Amino acid sequence: MESEGNSEKKLSSSKLKKGSNIIPLTGAAALLTLAVSLAITAINKRRNSKRKDLPGCTFRVNLSASEILKLADRIIAKSKEVHDAVASVPVDKVTYKNVISPLAELEAQQFPLVQSCVVPKLVSTSDKVRKASAEAEKKIDAHICSCSKREDVYCVVKAFAAKGEWMGPEARHYVHCLVKEFERNGLNLTATKREEVQRLKAQIDELSFQYVQNLNDDSTSVLFHENELAGLPAEFLKTLEKAENGMFRVTLKSHHVAAVLELCKIGKTRRLVAMAYGKRCGKANLSVLEDLRQYCLQGDAMEVKAPGFHLVGGRVQARHKFARLLGYSNYAEYALNPRMAKTPSKVLEFLEDISSSLSDLANKELAMLKELKKQDEGELPFGVEDLLYYVKKVEQQEFDLDLGALKQYFPVNLVLSGIFKIFQDLFGLRFEEIADADAWHSDIRMFSVFDLSSGELLGYFYLDMYTREGKYGQTCVVALQNGSVAFNGARQVPLALLISQLQTDIGGIPSLLRFTEVVSLLHEFGHVVQHLCNRASFARFSGLRVDPDFVEIPAKVLENWCYESFSLKLISGFHQDITMPIEDEICKSLKKWRYSFSALKLKQEVLYCLFDQIIHSAENVDIFELFKHLHPKVMLGLPMLEGTNPASCFPRCAIGYEAACYSRIWSEVFAADIFTSKFRDGLLNQHVGMQFRTKVLAPGGAKDPIEILSDFLGREPSIQTFIDNKIECSLWN
């Protein structure tokens, strides 16, 4: 399974005339919904006979535990053989054919084999196979790590890069990435400095793991009498453990905390839970953060400027020291260098612009919440612990939405049919289901995807939709094989797997989806199409192996189809009569609900993103004072809860997203620009859809993301559309 920025996705569509407009649905909407269902059913019935070996596909299914371990050993042996051969090339004899081509083809050939070994741990029904898969993954990961530190291979690749041999732009970018990857592991440093880089990296990894482990192990709880939990449903109270004195024990796990902050009518209870949550692992994790960051710096104190305040420090933080050894000024520079945002100053400017542009709207939202609390609780001051409760209360008053009842309009097969219809019409694709495809469970479905005009096979995807014991518990897309073009011109087609966690049909009643599951499913299908429509020649740039700041943008664009009446009617229908799609008023309410209090919610996220960016950009930051300063500045005067230190329970600062927490907002902002500028007035305009497919999806990681978006939009992407959408769809419009 690929990490963020290293997996692939793809989309589908069918024909419309160039520039055609969409006619709004009228009373015939129900019949259209039925027609969509029947059309997709007809497509699905054109099934191919069972094929063990699919053209252009080398991913292997249903390997036994012993076969997985043997394959892992062969993968490692072949990789070592190729790396040894490349390393043996004299530096004065380097050519594209004897250095670069073998490494590129090794990646393309081995990726589906590696996935054949490691994906079973996510989906296999056999515990023995899952354990073997996890063991194989460790072995392969260790080998890949050792390859990235091979100085002999680096020297040969570097010699080729310096030679200046003519290459196409994608090949040149590939060589640049190879060199950069080696150098981000310290291969361009002296042996002493390289050892220090590896020592620091190992220590940082260990401390990061400890930080998260402390949170996972935390067993703190708060005791309350039943009357102090007024507003919480009886079903929830039944799940709470009772202490010996009969009081209810509320843990600080997220599902308990969220329930209290959203539903409890007692302000004092909300405050106590929020404060306890903010104090979790205070001593332990602040100590870990200090260990992560503090190394002595010999010499004079250093002066660092951050937005809105001034810091002076005399110690270098561990991540900064690591980054400096690699030639960067600070850790944020190191983390952002390979990303679309590029620099900490760009990220800070982006976050400040978003926050300031939404301040007026956020102030209106906050004033409404404060007034509501005044009506309920008198003159008690409004605090951050009140946000979730009063936001939910306003939403219940303003929107006629019963999200539970809404499930009845989203039977899973109809939703899938509608999604297929949208993607086929929009992107000029054709889906065909493969009957009796070789798979790991009887629920699995497999599809071929073709270009609608030419009939060219673009790739395949699996659907593993339903929950079962031992299966990976999140919804995601996993690249099983990346598209690529071999040295001899042969093309390897992409293969993707969509994993979801839907409930199976019960007693003849079809599986019904919550609206959030519908959005998630359409988002992940966006990734499937992104994977399959990528036309990069190198496997390294194929599918989802794109800039991590860019990888979510296409799927975020496609989420918008869940909030437009026309497309919502295509993916909905009452489960007992699918000719009855969702009503227009509900469609409008869903769109309003999407944007309700979005400025305040976003400001909370910006707060943490700024905190993350500053501590990884500036030296010797007092973490507590920094957060205390930022909180009222961003949150319109609302102070940080007394005695809390959110930095001690903010895992993204420690592992996985350090200096990159901004990326989710970044994706959402540019996705809004794309949808509003290009798609909103023509949801199935295939001319625009094909431009998106060829200009945005096809290049993959082979082209700079800003160039990709600018080429599609006809200008550089902007934050203004995102801001305008928030204001336009707010409660005051």
Side-chain angles (χ1 to χ4, degrees):
M1 180 178 175
E2 295 183 290
S3 60
E4 181 192 20
N6 290 331
S7 35
E8 302 201 16
K9 313 173 182 179
K10 199 173 181 181
L11 292 170
S12 68
S13 66
S14 79
K15 282 189 174 178
L16 279 177
K17 291 183 180 179
K18 181 176 179 180
S20 64
N21 295 319
I22 301 303
I23 300 173
L25 291 176
T26 60
L31 293 177
L32 177 58
T33 302
L34 179 60
V36 169
S37 179
L38 294 175
I40 299 300
T41 300
I43 288 172
N44 291 345
K45 291 299 182 184
R46 294 198 296 267
R47 297 183 175 189
N48 304 311
S49 59
K50 185 172 181 178
R51 291 179 292 181
K52 292 277 185 179
D53 298 315
L54 299 170
C57 181
T58 59
F59 176 78
R60 301 180 185 180
V61 179
N62 288 335
L63 297 178
S64 67
S66 61
E67 287 172 331
I68 287 172
L69 295 174
K70 288 175 183 176
L71 179 57
D73 289 338
R74 291 200 298 273
I75 288 167
I76 292 169
K78 179 63 177 178
S79 175
K80 188 175 185 306
E81 176 189 324
V82 172
H83 281 85
D84 287 346
V86 170
S88 69
V89 178
V91 293
D92 60 341
K93 302 288 186 184
V94 294
T95 65
Y96 184 89
K97 188 173 182 180
N98 64 18
V99 174
I100 305 305
S101 182
L103 294 174
E105 295 209 10
L106 180 72
E107 284 188 42
Q109 293 164 6
Q110 290 215 318
F111 181 75
L113 301 181
V114 170
Q115 296 300 76
S116 301
C117 291
V118 303
V119 168
K121 79 169 191 176
L122 305 177
V123 297
S124 176
T125 57
S126 164
D127 184 55
K128 187 176 179 181
V129 168
R130 291 195 299 271
K131 287 178 179 177
S133 176
E135 183 182 341
E137 183 178 39
K138 287 181 182 178
K139 292 170 69 174
I140 293 169
D141 281 351
H143 171 72
I144 292 171
C145 183
S146 69
C147 290
S148 70
K149 299 172 186 174
R150 286 192 59 161
E151 186 178 10
D152 52 357
V153 178
Y154 166 67
C155 290
V156 173
V157 172
K158 184 77 170 175
F160 174 81
K163 186 178 177 183
E165 182 177 314
W166 184 90
M167 295 173 285
E170 190 172 343
R172 189 164 57 249
H173 183 43
Y174 178 74
V175 174
H176 172 77
C177 288
L178 285 178
V179 173
K180 200 73 176 172
E181 184 177 276
F182 280 121
E183 294 182 350
R184 283 174 72 84
N185 277 295
L187 271 293
N188 57 330
L189 303 177
T190 64
T192 302
K193 286 186 176 180
R194 197 182 311 152
E195 287 176 8
E196 178 69 355
V197 164
Q198 296 307 321
R199 186 186 68 80
L200 277 170
K201 188 174 187 302
Q203 186 172 6
I204 289 168
D205 288 346
E206 176 60 31
L207 289 167
S208 299
F209 174 80
Q210 186 60 55
Y211 182 100
V212 175
Q213 192 63 44
N214 287 342
L215 291 173
N216 291 339
D217 292 344
D218 181 74
S219 59
T220 307
S221 60
V222 189
L223 298 178
F224 294 102
H225 294 288
E226 185 170 358
N227 64 339
E228 295 175 302
L229 298 173
L232 288 159
E235 294 78 12
F236 175 78
L237 294 180
K238 289 177 184 177
T239 68
L240 299 180
E241 179 187 336
K242 279 193 175 184
E244 290 182 3
N245 59 6
M247 297 177 75
F248 289 91
R249 188 182 303 278
V250 175
T251 73
L252 299 184
K253 301 303 180 185
S254 58
H255 62 291
H256 278 191
V257 173
V260 171
L261 295 184
E262 280 194 354
L263 302 172
C264 184
K265 296 179 179 180
I266 311 302
K268 184 179 178 182
T269 300
R270 297 195 301 270
R271 185 173 181 82
L272 285 172
V273 169
M275 288 177 67
Y277 188 76
K279 292 177 180 178
R280 287 186 309 155
C281 305
K283 282 188 177 181
N285 271 356
L286 286 176
S287 173
V288 170
L289 284 180
E290 288 299 312
D291 288 341
L292 267 171
R293 290 163 172 76
Q294 293 180 0
Y295 269 70
C296 291
L297 172 70
Q298 296 178 353
D300 295 332
M302 298 188 330
E303 184 175 273
V304 180
K305 293 182 179 179
F309 55 96
H310 193 83
L311 298 170
V312 177
R315 292 182 296 180
V316 157
Q317 301 165 357
R319 282 190 177 129
H320 293 319
K321 187 172 183 179
F322 169 81
R324 284 202 174 135
L325 283 168
L326 294 171
Y328 299 90
S329 298
N330 52 59
Y331 188 82
E333 261 192 26
Y334 164 81
L336 296 175
N337 180 261
R339 302 179 77 103
M340 193 174 168
K342 297 301 182 192
T343 66
S345 60
K346 179 74 174 177
V347 172
L348 290 168
E349 179 186 4
F350 169 80
L351 292 171
E352 291 279 0
D353 285 351
I354 292 289
S355 183
S356 60
S357 297
L358 289 172
S359 286
D360 287 347
L361 177 57
N363 268 310
K364 289 180 181 178
E365 292 172 346
L366 183 58
M368 175 184 277
L369 298 180
K370 285 181 173 179
E371 179 59 31
L372 196 56
K373 177 169 181 177
K374 186 176 180 180
Q375 294 172 13
D376 282 3
E377 303 181 49
E379 298 299 327
L380 289 172
F382 190 95
V384 289
E385 71 277 9
D386 298 316
L387 285 171
L388 286 177
Y389 176 76
Y390 283 103
V391 163
K392 190 170 187 68
K393 189 164 187 176
V394 173
E395 288 176 347
Q396 289 173 337
Q397 293 174 355
E398 293 288 332
F399 309 120
D400 184 20
L401 273 181
D402 183 343
L403 294 177
L406 202 57
K407 288 177 63 174
Q408 298 178 82
Y409 287 88
F410 296 116
V412 62
N413 287 333
L414 183 60
V415 172
L416 283 173
S417 296
I419 290 174
F420 281 15
K421 167 69 175 173
I422 289 167
F423 285 174
Q424 289 183 141
D425 286 354
L426 187 60
F427 297 113
L429 304 175
R430 186 179 86 247
F431 297 116
E432 288 190 10
E433 186 164 5
I434 301 171
D436 302 318
D438 198 14
W440 47 93
H441 192 275
S442 58
D443 286 341
I444 311 305
R445 300 172 70 185
M446 189 178 191
F447 294 82
S448 305
V449 181
F450 300 89
D451 178 76
L452 187 62
S453 296
S454 68
E456 177 191 1
L457 173 68
L458 298 178
Y460 309 95
F461 66 91
Y462 286 103
L463 295 182
D464 189 346
M465 304 294 290
Y466 300 103
T467 185
R468 63 178 177 272
E469 186 178 356
K471 181 181 169 183
Y472 180 65
Q474 303 296 321
T475 298
C476 65
V477 169
V478 182
L480 303 180
Q481 178 168 296
N482 286 337
S484 64
V485 178
F487 194 69
N488 63 7
R491 183 159 193 93
Q492 182 171 274
V493 300
L495 169 65
L497 162 63
L498 194 162
I499 299 175
S500 190
Q501 302 300 321
L502 306 181
Q503 298 299 315
T504 53
D505 297 357
I506 301 174
I509 299 174
S511 178
L512 303 175
L513 306 187
R514 297 189 300 272
F515 179 69
T516 53
E517 291 176 321
V518 174
V519 176
S520 176
L521 191 57
L522 196 141
H523 175 102
E524 296 305 332
F525 257 99
H527 283 310
V528 170
V529 174
Q530 182 181 356
H531 181 69
L532 299 177
C533 290
N534 186 314
R535 304 295 285 174
S537 297
F538 288 79
R540 176 169 292 223
F541 306 136
S542 180
L544 304 179
R545 298 195 70 173
V546 299
D547 186 308
D549 282 346
F550 179 81
V551 69
E552 291 296 329
I553 291 176
K556 285 280 185 187
V557 170
L558 290 157
E559 283 182 21
N560 287 282
W561 273 254
C562 289
Y563 297 95
E564 300 295 327
S565 293
F566 174 85
S567 43
L568 259 178
K569 289 176 183 291
L570 289 178
I571 60 176
S572 67
F574 189 63
H575 71 97
Q576 292 177 330
D577 180 2
I578 62 170
T579 65
M580 295 173 53
I582 199 168
E583 296 175 0
D584 286 326
E585 286 306 310
I586 295 179
C587 295
K588 291 176 184 177
S589 292
L590 282 170
K591 193 167 187 176
K592 283 282 189 181
W593 172 71
R594 181 190 193 187
Y595 288 101
S596 70
F597 296 95
S598 58
L600 263 180
K601 293 171 185 175
L602 193 67
K603 271 185 165 286
Q604 279 192 294
E605 190 170 355
V606 166
L607 167 66
Y608 282 99
C609 293
L610 283 170
F611 172 79
D612 167 61
Q613 198 61 215
I614 292 169
I615 66 173
H616 289 105
S617 303
E619 305 293 348
N620 194 37
V621 178
D622 184 318
I623 293 171
F624 179 81
E625 289 300 322
L626 169 63
F627 207 90
K628 186 178 177 181
H629 169 89
L630 282 176
H631 201 287
K633 179 174 180 282
V634 177
M635 292 303 296
L636 308 172
L638 292 180
M640 187 174 78
L641 275 168
E642 182 183 349
T644 67
N645 185 358
S648 70
C649 54
F650 183 43
R652 287 181 295 178
C653 289
I655 189 168
Y657 291 90
E658 51 273 15
C661 293
Y662 70 90
S663 192
R664 195 208 67 79
I665 301 176
W666 182 277
S667 300
E668 189 175 332
V669 166
F670 295 128
D673 192 10
I674 291 169
F675 175 75
T676 304
S677 303
K678 291 290 187 176
F679 288 110
R680 186 165 66 180
D681 296 329
L683 292 172
L684 293 184
N685 185 328
Q686 194 178 94
H687 174 60
V688 177
M690 288 300 294
Q691 284 186 324
F692 186 78
R693 177 179 151 188
T694 55
K695 292 186 175 184
V696 178
L697 302 181
K703 190 175 177 182
D704 179 77
I706 291 293
E707 287 183 31
I708 289 174
L709 297 185
S710 298
D711 183 32
F712 178 65
L713 291 168
R715 56 170 171 78
E716 284 200 4
S718 163
I719 72 168
Q720 194 55 50
T721 303
F722 175 78
I723 301 300
D724 292 345
N725 284 351
K726 298 282 186 191
I727 295 170
E728 177 187 332
C729 297
S730 72
L731 293 170
W732 289 269
N733 284 314

